[in-house]
Amino acid sequence: MSRWIEIADGVHARRHTELDQTLGLVVGHSRALVIDTGTDETHGAEFAAAIRELTDLPWTVVITHAHFDHFLGTAAFGDVPVYAHPRCGPAMTAVDHRGAWARRYREQGKPELAERVERARIVLPTHEVDDRVDLDLGGRRVTLLHPGLAHTDHDVAVHVPDAHVVFAGDMVEEGAPPSIGDDAHPARWPGALDVLLALRPTTVVPGHGEPVDPGFVAAQRDAISAGST
């Protein structure tokens, strides 16, 4: 099951039961920005159809990082600009995302999801976010930024200044502890969260879970810091 949360005018989070995932959408006057695309092409197509119920504007995609549930739905959005950090593309192909998660889904008794992941095509980014990139969506500016090493070495956040919203990808997670995998940088992660907090958002949208306030992010930063010392 999926549902929309309207965070501000033209700023939306799409909540999904599977993996407790949260995708994003920012709508301007001339373009829409899609933040992550889901776990596979079926999921991506469902997300694209839900977006079309809100806007028919052309879209641009940004991938927050190269974990399968954030980018394997991109093919469903067609031939569009796809922004990501320069290290994101290589990370998409360096790991067998489809095989690993197909095995996991089969072990969980979810063969249909396993098959969907196996069929998903990897769409590589077309535009780089080395440090920051400002996008004009028409009457609304958004900033894509790499705040430093954190959940991965290539995380990208999305700042919507006029709405005081930051989409943080998996640098922030609500409902469960942050996922600190082999590609994470826990000693540097708190500093990246400080960069996001310095933007003075009122709402931070995590990659998984419900939108949170800056106090939640600060507490998660402190917990990561305590665990990395």
Side-chain angles (χ1 to χ4, degrees):
M1 295 181 63
S2 306
R3 60 184 172 88
W4 283 113
I5 299 173
E6 185 175 16
I7 300 168
D9 184 28
V11 182
H12 307 268
R14 184 74 171 174
R15 297 281 287 115
H16 300 270
T17 302
E18 179 63 28
L19 301 178
D20 199 24
Q21 189 172 29
T22 307
L23 307 177
L25 175 70
V26 182
V27 181
H29 294 315
S30 59
R31 294 197 69 83
L33 179 66
V34 177
I35 303 163
D36 288 335
T37 59
T39 57
D40 57 68
E41 290 180 45
T42 300
H43 185 194
E46 292 169 351
F47 184 34
I51 292 171
R52 282 293 174 244
E53 293 177 358
L54 299 181
T55 178
D56 60 0
L57 291 173
W59 46 38
T60 294
V61 168
V62 58
I63 302 300
T64 61
H65 65 291
H67 289 163
F68 92 103
D69 49 323
H70 296 265
F71 73 85
L72 277 181
T74 304
F77 289 84
D79 184 14
V80 297
V82 180
Y83 285 81
H85 189 273
R87 288 190 287 268
C88 186
M92 288 178 176
T93 56
V95 177
D96 183 12
H97 298 273
R98 290 170 295 189
W101 271 89
R103 288 190 295 273
R104 183 174 301 189
Y105 276 136
R106 286 197 170 90
E107 290 169 357
Q108 295 174 353
K110 300 176 179 178
E112 180 184 350
L113 291 181
E115 292 172 5
R116 283 165 44 172
V117 169
E118 286 175 328
R119 291 196 304 265
R121 293 165 287 171
I122 295 176
V123 176
L124 294 175
T126 59
H127 294 68
E128 294 186 347
V129 183
D130 193 6
D131 179 26
R132 60 176 287 160
V133 172
D134 292 320
L135 296 181
D136 183 359
L137 303 181
R140 163 168 273 162
R141 180 179 60 84
V142 298
T143 300
L144 317 180
L145 68 150
H146 170 59
L149 305 180
H151 179 64
T152 68
D153 67 357
H154 55 271
D155 296 289
V156 169
V158 178
H159 181 212
V160 190
D162 69 295
H164 308 288
V165 174
V166 168
F167 289 84
D170 286 4
M171 288 182 285
V172 175
E173 187 163 346
E174 186 274 334
S179 176
I180 302 177
D182 293 340
D183 55 348
H185 298 265
R188 302 281 293 277
W189 195 332
L193 293 180
D194 281 336
V195 172
L196 300 187
L197 289 170
L199 299 172
R200 302 178 65 84
T202 56
T203 304
V204 177
V205 183
H208 301 268
E210 297 287 323
V212 299
D213 61 22
F216 180 96
V217 177
Q220 198 156 90
R221 174 203 61 198
D222 294 344
I224 295 169
S225 182
S228 66
T229 55

